[in-house]
């Protein structure tokens, strides 16, 4: 393990008493004084501030937005060309086998495409974009800006305290606004299932902006521990756990992210890596599916827990990919993959924990309803 990177907010995390852990090559706060459970509940009730500066921020430029969008569509099965200016969309980099190389967000900023990728994948993602898109489209990693997320039902009021313009934004809108004296790129989005914002801020002004938000009574700092339990309750995938290079978007239940125009029969059908498998999966179905799982009792079922159809005997029919305790759900929550025949909501299955099979029920995701501002 090489030397760990630090985000522009490292000193603030330490000053706030954060417990720092290695994550995707960075020293990141896993929790603060409140602890994971209270941080999670605070974010659902009021507003939480997250440092996500470890993620990759990338700007793609070409002779026009259309040129950039058409080029980017060779890497993702999403409608990039049809995305309106000032709007953001969830996307997936696919590989030739139809698996997922990373999940990402991309935004139409008028004269360029702004892309945010996962920290653990950013070097590979940037290399992939450069190899496929340059020289016609320039690929520039933005290394002088931090990225923070303000999430929860009080996020709008808190951020509007710094600039009232953000209150008028809808889910997945993207704007450039001034916050605490800094020019910020703000999207109304996040990864908690709550309303909120993701804010790209020049690194020199990141700490001042974070402090301005944390001075508000409604806002508490939130670490990676609660970030994970929040996204798990919300049914959102963690790359490397719930989706990876072998899972197709159809297996993962992410077909909603593939717009009609890119599907078979659409105006710009195909033209992305893994099209044969993905179109095959869409047409014929898949053998395994990602599902929500609710273990009965109080014991969580962690990632790697094998799932069986019967209480005794037989081979595993799936496994848990993410699991833990859901503070808002008030019980253990999980997601994973099971055979298509066992994927119906309400199906009773068994997870093997420490050699003992415990009952677990297939459940509809999200386990905690989303509160996005549509």
């Amino acid at each position: 393990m090489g030397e760990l990177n630090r985000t522009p907010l490292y000193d603030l995390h330490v000053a706030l008493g954060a417990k720092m852990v290695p994550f995707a090559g960075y020293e990141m706060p896993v929790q603060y004084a409140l602890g994971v459970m209270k941080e999670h509940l605070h974010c659902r009730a009021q507003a939480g501030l997250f440092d996500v500066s470890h993620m990759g921020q990338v700007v793609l430029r070409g002779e026009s937005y259309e040129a950039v969008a058409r080029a980017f569509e060779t890497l993702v099965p999403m409608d990039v060309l049809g995305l309106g200016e000032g709007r953001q969309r969830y996307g997936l980099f696919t590989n030739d086998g139809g698996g997922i190389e990373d999940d990402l967000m991309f935004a139409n900023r008028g004269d360029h495409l702004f892309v945010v990728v996962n920290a653990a994948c950013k070097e590979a993602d940037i290399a992939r974009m450069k190899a496929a898109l340059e020289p016609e489209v320039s690929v520039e990693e933005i290394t002088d800006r931090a990225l923070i997320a303000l999430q929860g039902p009080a996020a709008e009021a808190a951020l509007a305290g710094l600039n009232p313009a953000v209150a008028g934004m809808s889910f997945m809108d993207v704007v450039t606004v001034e916050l605490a004296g800094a020019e910020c790129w703000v999207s109304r989005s996040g990864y908690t299932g709550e309303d909120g914002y993701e804010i790209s801020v020049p690194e020199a002004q990141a700490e001042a902006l974070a402090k301005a938000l944390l001075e508000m009574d409604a806002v508490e700092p939130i670490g990676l521990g609660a970030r994970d339990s929040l996204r798990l309750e919300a049914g959102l995938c963690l790359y490397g756990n719930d989706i990876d290079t072998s899972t197709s978007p159809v297996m993962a239940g992410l077909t909603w992210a593939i717009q009609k125009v890119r599907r078979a029969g659409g105006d710009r059908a195909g033209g992305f890596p893994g099209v044969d498998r993905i179109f095959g999966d869409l047409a014929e179905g898949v053998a395994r599916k990602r599902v929500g799982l609710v273990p009965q009792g109080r014991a969580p079922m962690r990632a790697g827990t094998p799932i069986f159809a019967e209480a005794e005997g037989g081979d595993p029919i799936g496994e848990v990919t993410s699991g833990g305790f859901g503070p808002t759900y008030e019980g253990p929550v999980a997601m994973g993959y099971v055979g298509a025949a066992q994927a119906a909501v309400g199906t009773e299955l068994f997870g093997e924990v420490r050699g003992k099979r415990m009952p677990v029920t297939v459940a509809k995701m999200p386990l905690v309803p989303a509160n996005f501002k549509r």
Side-chain angles (χ1 to χ4, degrees), residues 329-342:
Y329 193 79
E330 298 185 329
V333 292
M335 70 171 80
Y337 286 82
V338 300
Q342 291 92 13

Side-chain angles (χ1 to χ4, degrees), residues 224-283:
L224 291 174
R227 181 173 167 81
D228 193 53
S229 55
L230 287 159
R231 69 92 196 164
L232 180 53
E233 287 184 342
L236 300 169
C237 294
L238 176 64
Y239 190 82
N241 281 46
D242 312 302
I243 48 176
D244 59 29
T245 55
S246 68
T247 50
S248 81
V250 185
M251 282 176 63
L254 298 174
T255 53
W256 58 267
I258 305 175
Q259 286 75 30
K260 202 171 168 181
V261 71
R262 302 302 309 279
R263 298 190 187 199
D267 286 349
R268 296 191 310 287
F272 51 82
V275 61
D276 292 345
R277 178 188 175 189
I278 293 168
F279 279 6
D281 284 358
L282 282 167

Side-chain angles (χ1 to χ4, degrees), residues 59-78:
V59 166
L60 308 185
R61 293 183 189 274
E63 62 178 38
S64 65
Y65 177 78
E66 180 180 349
V68 174
R70 287 187 183 277
F72 198 62
E73 285 189 358
T74 65
L75 294 176
V76 301
M78 284 75 226

Side-chain angles (χ1 to χ4, degrees), residues 142-193:
I142 305 299
T143 56
D144 59 354
R145 297 180 78 90
L147 193 66
I148 59 177
L150 183 67
Q151 300 282 296
E156 179 185 291
L159 201 61
L162 300 180
N163 190 323
V166 300
M169 297 172 69
S170 294
F171 184 56
M172 293 292 203
D173 278 352
V174 183
V175 299
T176 298
V177 293
E178 189 175 295
L179 297 170
E183 183 188 274
C184 296
W185 309 338
V186 180
S187 68
R188 193 155 198 165
S189 62
Y191 220 62
T192 60

